[in-house]
Amino acid sequence: MGFTAIKNILAGKYENQEVNVRGWIYRTRSSGKLAFITIRDSSGIIQVTIAKENVPAKDFESATKALIESSAAVKGVVAKDKRAPGGYELRAKSFEVTGNADVFPITEHQSEELLLDNRHLWIRSRELVNAMKVKASLLKYCREWFNENNFYEVTPPTITPSACEGGTTLFEFNYFDKKAYLSQSAQLYLEALIYSLERVWSLTPSFRAEKSKTRRHLAEYWHLEAEEAWVNHEENMKIQEKLISHVCQKLAKEDKDELVFFKREPGTLKNIEPPFERIKYESAVKILKDKGFNFNYGMDFGTKEESALCSDIEKPVFITNFPKTVKPFYMKEADEKTYLCADLLAPEGYGEIIGGSERETDYNKLVERMKEQNMNMKDYEWYLDLRKYGSVQHSGFGLGLERIIRWLCKLEHIRDAVPFPRTINRVYP
Ligand code: 4AD
Ligand code: MG
């Protein structure tokens, strides 16, 4: 007889049947001849009732002694019971403690620092388990969408000879006695790959030496990026709208339990359908001024400005046509002052989740811009080559997975969208 997932028992599929369950002790309490032990597996939590007279003597003894987070294998009969959390309980016939736990270092109401020091254990918590499940679903639905829309998944490098997003957030390291950098974005490599595959996407870690402590920046995050040949700025935004809408529809349908755990009403995700509003940076400046911000044309949005722009909207919104001064070298110009680019801001004040643009295809313009920004041309020769051998109109975007999870799961801090967060003051564990 195999093992049954707790979720399936709670779904009512096994009433009055004998099942085997294995997992970890979540809560435990006993009185005399009766023990109540809740067991969690990856799918759910169920109460196990152990009556001394129904199990072998050694089982009862080890069950009542076992501390929380001990692992256990149980055989029992499923019984419907209104008093049990989840509506079903397991009446044990045997209870084997397979791995005893020491006193668990995490109890209720711990400091954030202690939880982070014990992250390898805290990832067992319901908060993190549910966030990881939503992330796994998000990845599944993104992959699904790209497969259905003729994109090839590719595997760009994460060790690079140069910056993509500017030098200030670059991690440098010694690469066999040369300088190399951890990738900030796969974009430049994806741009090279469209000449082979036309529509490509990748999922890689991206690294940003973010010097500031914020609730939405990680030093290492998972970056989902796409690049599309023959596609302009407007079509690029349409692709983003469709992708975001697809994952929201799927999550609302397939992942209700996890969303509800985070108090995310699935219905709010069902409403996320194209088109998303487009607001030019210039108009966004006006909106901010009207809201009392001391913000002028040419400045970049900080957390507060972004939140103000997206706090009372229900669908994501594109802020387009940023001034050249606040964006990287590779974007195509819309006019003398601005680029054909867009940041997608999530609703409810969560801020930027995607950055994208049409790319500059003109060799001379790129060279000029790179010189203005004192970039080392030698490092980018290969990239400039792309404009020499069959340059085509193309666009792309990058989506921060943890940023989206933070919005979807209403997380206070982005670090809870990743199991082992890397931030300015933490690389352990
Ligand atoms: O806006 P960014 O810097 O754009 C790029 O890297 C482009 N080269 C992407 C492309 O066009 N292929 O980063 C893209 C997204 C942001 O919108 C944000 O969601 C996320 O990456 N991001 C971060 N997420 C977590 N921690 C950080 N420090 C992040 N920096 C950016
Ligand atoms: Mg950005």
Side-chain angles (χ1 to χ4, degrees), residues 157-164 167 169-175 178-184 189 207 376 379-380:
T158 48
I159 296 176
T160 67
S162 51
C164 177
T169 62
L170 209 49
F171 277 111
E172 183 186 307
F173 70 100
N174 181 356
Y175 183 74
K178 283 196 206 75
K179 271 186 193 172
Y181 308 93
L182 296 177
S183 169
Q184 298 166 308
Y189 295 96
F207 302 89
N376 185 356
D379 292 339
Y380 295 89

Side-chain angles (χ1 to χ4, degrees), residues 138-154 199-202 224-226 239 242-243 246-247 250 397:
L138 176 70
L139 284 170
K140 185 166 71 180
Y141 306 143
C142 287
R143 192 165 261 122
E144 200 172 84
W145 190 88
F146 282 122
N147 285 340
E148 282 164 11
N149 288 276
N150 304 317
F151 279 80
Y152 286 96
E153 183 171 0
V154 293
R199 282 152 80 93
V200 295
W201 74 281
S202 66
L224 192 151
E225 293 175 274
I239 289 173
K242 287 182 196 155
L243 171 66
H246 174 77
V247 302
K250 290 293 284 227
F397 61 92

Side-chain angles (χ1 to χ4, degrees), residues 332-385:
K332 188 174 177 68
E333 53 186 28
D335 50 49
E336 240 170 52
K337 273 161 80 181
T338 70
Y339 283 139
L340 289 172
C341 65
D343 281 4
L344 185 66
L345 310 188
E348 301 156 26
Y350 285 96
E352 181 188 345
I353 52 175
I354 296 185
S357 68
E358 188 170 328
R359 319 305 192 187
E360 184 56 73
T361 46
D362 186 273
Y363 179 89
N364 294 321
K365 278 192 180 155
L366 265 182
V367 169
E368 200 182 305
R369 218 176 277 154
M370 291 165 81
K371 281 188 179 152
E372 275 167 23
Q373 300 188 12
N374 293 321
M375 293 170 66
N376 185 356
M377 305 303 284
K378 193 101 193 83
D379 292 339
Y380 295 89
E381 261 171 17
W382 70 272
Y383 180 72
L384 289 166
D385 267 356

Side-chain angles (χ1 to χ4, degrees), residues 164-165 169 184-188 190-191 206-210 214 216-227 236 306 327-328 330-331 342-344 351-357 359 395-404 414 422:
C164 177
E165 298 298 310
T169 62
Q184 298 166 308
S185 162
Q187 179 192 322
L188 306 187
L190 298 189
E191 283 189 64
S206 276
F207 302 89
R208 306 278 170 112
E210 302 280 0
T214 79
R216 48 181 217 146
H217 286 94
L218 292 164
E220 176 180 14
Y221 70 96
W222 284 85
H223 204 170
L224 192 151
E225 293 175 274
E227 198 70 28
N236 188 39
E306 267 183 24
K327 291 291 182 195
Y330 50 70
M331 296 180 173
D343 281 4
L344 185 66
E352 181 188 345
I353 52 175
I354 296 185
S357 68
R359 319 305 192 187
S395 303
F397 61 92
L399 171 167
L401 278 185
E402 291 78 11
R403 289 276 182 95
I404 296 217
I414 193 170
R422 300 291 176 245

Side-chain angles (χ1 to χ4, degrees), residues 50 56 113 147 194 274 307 317 339 342 371 399 427:
I50 313 167
E113 279 308 297
N147 285 340
I194 60 161
S307 295
V317 57
Y339 283 139
K371 281 188 179 152
L399 171 167
V427 287

